[in-house]
Amino acid sequence: MVEIRNVHKRFGDLEVLKGINLTVNRGKIISIIGPSGSGKSTLLRSVNHLEVIDQGEISLDGARVNRPDLKGLAFEKHINHIRQNMGMVFQHFNLFPHLSTIDNVTLAPRKLKGMDPKKAREWGMDLLDRVGLAQKADVFPNWLSGGQKQRVAIARALAMEPKVMLFDEATSALDPELVEEVNLVMRGLAEEHMTMLIVTHEMGFARDVSDWAMFMDGGVVVEEDDPQKLFSNPEQERTQSFLRKHLRS
Amino acid sequence: MDFNLMVDVTPLLLKAAWVTIDVSARSLFFGFFVACGLVFMQSLRFAPVRWLARGYVSAIRGTPYFVQLLLVFYGGPSIGFRLDPLTCGVFVGAFNIGAYMSEAIRGSIESVDSGQAEASRSLGFGKAQTLISIVLPQAAPLMIRSLGVLAIVVVKNSSLISIISVVELTYQAQRLIGSTYKPLEIFTISALMYIVIVYAVMGIIELAYRRATRYTTL
Ligand SMILES: Nc1ncnc2c1ncn2[C@@H]1O[C@H](COP(=O)(O)OP(=O)(O)OP(=O)(O)O)[C@@H](O)[C@H]1O
Ligand SMILES: [Mg+2]
């Protein structure tokens, strides 16, 4: 489903990704963990082409995401199409504050798929219902709690029926008591066999939901394994010390 | 204070005030297009076009409007660029305020959190649609406020075109003073008229601002 092959990315003199490989199969959930600055966000953003990689290949369902051969408008068209098949969830929600909750969710299907307003509203209500926020449909995002905002953001990302969902620390900006409601929604997606690539600082959650876990540090994959094994019995010293710090706190 | 005289000159001053409004409105209208052009030029990848726009904005901001006006009106003809006073007033007014407006527009667009455009792009929206549907509506409140300040500047600046004998409010006032020798009365009325115009503009801006910020209070 998602193929990441030998991906390199540098910001100026700093090489942030040093040859990353990862395969995400359909219906699988992969967690990426690692210390701050290890390149987790950069990797996830590269999949969505929010960062342009310098070397390597990323593809979604066999279609290449990065296409150095395409230029200008041709590339724009290509990437807009690719992105419609990916749902991205950001740490800081990035809901559109000038649109009501339901409009946040239905904007993409209306404008990009030409879904008619009535159908879009039904579809939007379905999605909001799935994240438990149907009653907030006509409220503006500023009036929602952080947890509610992130649930709307998930509904928005689902609106185009993506093949894969990308989560970049979806719960890091939330007050602790709001984390669980978002995790619950993500667990729901897992049960429906949504393909997911999750960057997280929550080891417990990662261990529970994922099919595969990957530990990154300094732009390389230090260790990857079955989550039960990686979290309880890591082989690499760097993974061990990272987990010691994080499982304690 | 000679109140009879004040009543007598009011119709003439009102007529001139209309010219002030007309020149200001047209300067703003054309200035807005100049500004959009400058913003567009500065968003291009081709650097020389960006430098050209930056250079232009710097030149306008670095020189007094009064000098720009004199330069075009008196200096223009020697290179074959001849404009009648009214056209010149609108022309220089538009190209002057356009530079400031371009900065206001850019500033308000840049004030929108970059995460907004990212979220939009990640959904599959293109650059233009992201700008129109996501960024501009959020830039609008700040843009309206800063363009509003410039609209008031334009109204006040328009008094300077009296120097090239456009019969607007200030020119007419001076002319009437020349025949009546009553500067206090006449400038008082013209000042009051400026106040009315400026406050009307501020009222319009406030309405537009409230419209643009509806969503934050609902
Ligand atoms: N746009 C950018 N320009 C320059 N450097 C950047 C940029 N984005 C990220 N970096 C740098 O790249 C490195 C990796 O950043 P990244 O955000 O991918 O880390 P991360 O693993 O997500 O960390 P965190 O857990 O703090 O979110 C960091 O050193 C960061 O400072
Ligand atoms: Mg990060």
Side-chain angles (χ1 to χ4, degrees):
Chain A
M1 163 103 356
V2 179
E3 286 275 355
I4 299 173
R5 284 285 153 267
N6 190 31
V7 163
H8 290 258
K9 169 71 186 171
R10 48 169 63 247
F11 292 113
D13 286 339
L14 183 69
E15 187 163 33
V16 176
L17 300 177
K18 303 173 182 162
I20 305 286
N21 290 291
L22 175 67
T23 302
V24 188
N25 288 321
R26 187 184 303 275
K28 295 294 178 199
I29 299 168
I30 315 283
S31 290
I32 304 174
I33 59 168
S36 186
S38 56
K40 308 181 295 294
S41 296
T42 306
L43 178 62
L44 205 66
R45 291 164 56 81
S46 298
V47 173
N48 201 248
H49 208 267
L50 291 174
E51 302 291 352
V52 183
I53 60 174
D54 300 319
Q55 198 187 318
E57 236 180 78
I58 298 174
S59 63
L60 172 68
D61 252 358
R64 258 186 85 165
V65 175
N66 62 320
R67 286 282 297 271
D69 55 315
L70 291 180
K71 296 269 179 286
L73 281 177
F75 181 76
E76 270 278 301
K77 232 182 120 189
H78 157 78
I79 197 64
N80 291 342
H81 183 76
I82 291 270
R83 281 174 174 153
Q84 291 177 25
N85 294 314
M86 298 191 210
M88 178 116 185
V89 176
F90 300 88
Q91 185 175 356
H92 295 105
F93 331 126
N94 299 355
L95 287 181
F96 306 133
H98 61 299
L99 299 177
S100 66
T101 297
I102 183 108
D103 285 343
N104 263 276
V105 175
T106 60
L107 186 74
R110 276 186 289 127
K111 302 239 166 174
L112 295 172
K113 280 189 184 162
M115 195 183 271
D116 76 68
K118 195 161 162 286
K119 180 127 188 295
R121 187 166 174 97
E122 279 168 24
W123 174 228
M125 290 306 288
D126 278 356
L127 289 163
L128 286 175
D129 201 36
R130 260 169 92 179
V131 300
L133 287 170
Q135 78 283 8
K136 300 286 187 191
D138 296 302
V139 164
F140 282 81
N142 287 355
W143 293 88
L144 302 176
S145 73
Q148 291 172 333
K149 281 181 189 161
Q150 195 60 298
R151 282 147 66 196
V152 173
I154 293 172
R156 178 179 70 178
L158 290 169
M160 293 295 281
E161 306 190 280
K163 294 175 178 163
V164 57
M165 288 284 283
L166 311 172
F167 292 87
D168 191 1
E169 298 194 27
T171 55
S172 297
L174 297 177
D175 292 337
E177 71 271 19
L178 301 177
V179 168
E180 204 41 50
E181 65 185 58
V182 174
N183 283 348
L184 212 63
V185 169
M186 289 172 70
R187 280 176 208 270
L189 291 177
E191 277 160 26
E192 295 164 27
H193 305 291
M194 173 61 82
T195 312
M196 299 199 260
L197 195 50
I198 303 173
V199 169
T200 183
H201 275 148
E202 277 182 84
M203 305 307 150
F205 180 72
R207 184 209 298 242
D208 277 7
V209 300
S210 34
D211 300 297
W212 194 250
M214 190 167 114
F215 172 69
M216 277 178 74
D217 193 7
V220 297
V221 178
V222 175
E223 186 169 357
E224 55 182 321
D225 214 327
D226 179 272
Q228 302 309 328
K229 168 108 186 355
L230 188 90
F231 285 105
S232 45
N233 205 358
E235 277 166 19
Q236 299 293 322
E237 211 283 315
R238 268 149 94 188
T239 319
Q240 288 163 7
S241 79
F242 173 81
L243 286 174
R244 258 201 307 281
K245 268 186 230 144
H246 276 265
L247 292 177
R248 230 191 302 127
S249 59
Chain B
M1 287 269 229
D2 183 343
F3 289 104
N4 283 334
L5 173 92
M6 289 170 86
V7 173
D8 286 347
V9 297
T10 297
L12 276 175
L13 287 174
L14 272 178
K15 226 171 129 187
W18 180 251
V19 176
T20 290
I21 294 170
D22 181 50
V23 168
S24 305
R26 284 199 275 164
S27 299
L28 284 167
F29 180 78
F30 294 119
F32 185 71
F33 289 98
V34 171
C36 290
L38 288 167
V39 171
F40 179 70
M41 284 167 79
Q42 288 178 68
S43 75
L44 292 179
R45 196 169 293 178
F46 187 57
V49 177
R50 286 204 312 268
W51 297 333
L52 192 70
R54 288 294 330 146
Y56 174 78
V57 171
S58 308
I60 293 291
R61 298 214 302 178
T63 52
Y65 174 56
F66 197 47
V67 173
Q68 294 161 15
L69 193 65
L70 297 175
L71 180 69
V72 173
F73 190 71
Y74 293 112
S78 54
I79 54 162
F81 192 67
R82 207 175 299 273
L83 295 173
D84 66 84
L86 190 73
T87 310
C88 185
V90 171
F91 178 85
V92 180
F95 275 88
N96 170 274
I97 208 65
Y100 292 93
M101 284 172 132
S102 73
E103 294 289 274
I105 293 171
R106 257 161 38 91
S108 60
I109 288 175
E110 277 163 18
S111 76
V112 177
D113 174 22
S114 62
Q116 289 293 310
E118 280 187 354
S120 168
R121 297 307 305 276
S122 80
L123 287 167
F125 286 108
K127 283 182 190 158
Q129 188 140 41
T130 296
L131 185 69
I132 292 166
S133 303
I134 304 301
V135 178
L136 285 182
Q138 296 183 57
L142 181 60
M143 199 183 299
I144 289 165
R145 277 270 154 89
S146 19
L147 292 181
V149 171
L150 294 175
I152 290 163
V153 168
V154 164
V155 172
K156 294 183 187 170
N157 269 355
S158 73
S159 66
L160 292 172
I161 62 174
S162 58
I163 199 70
I164 57 172
S165 22
V166 176
V167 190
E168 45 65 71
L169 193 46
T170 300
Y171 186 85
Q172 184 63 289
Q174 284 174 320
R175 208 155 69 170
L176 288 166
I177 291 159
S179 56
T180 61
Y181 306 103
K182 299 278 188 194
L184 178 64
E185 284 82 350
I186 289 173
F187 276 139
T188 302
I189 300 180
S190 69
L192 285 174
M193 289 181 176
Y194 276 116
I195 288 181
V196 170
I197 298 171
V198 165
Y199 276 81
V201 171
M202 280 160 75
I204 294 168
I205 295 158
E206 197 51 38
L207 283 179
Y209 179 79
R210 278 196 215 147
R211 239 194 110 80
T213 52
R214 264 175 318 182
Y215 64 86
T216 52
T217 48
L218 249 158

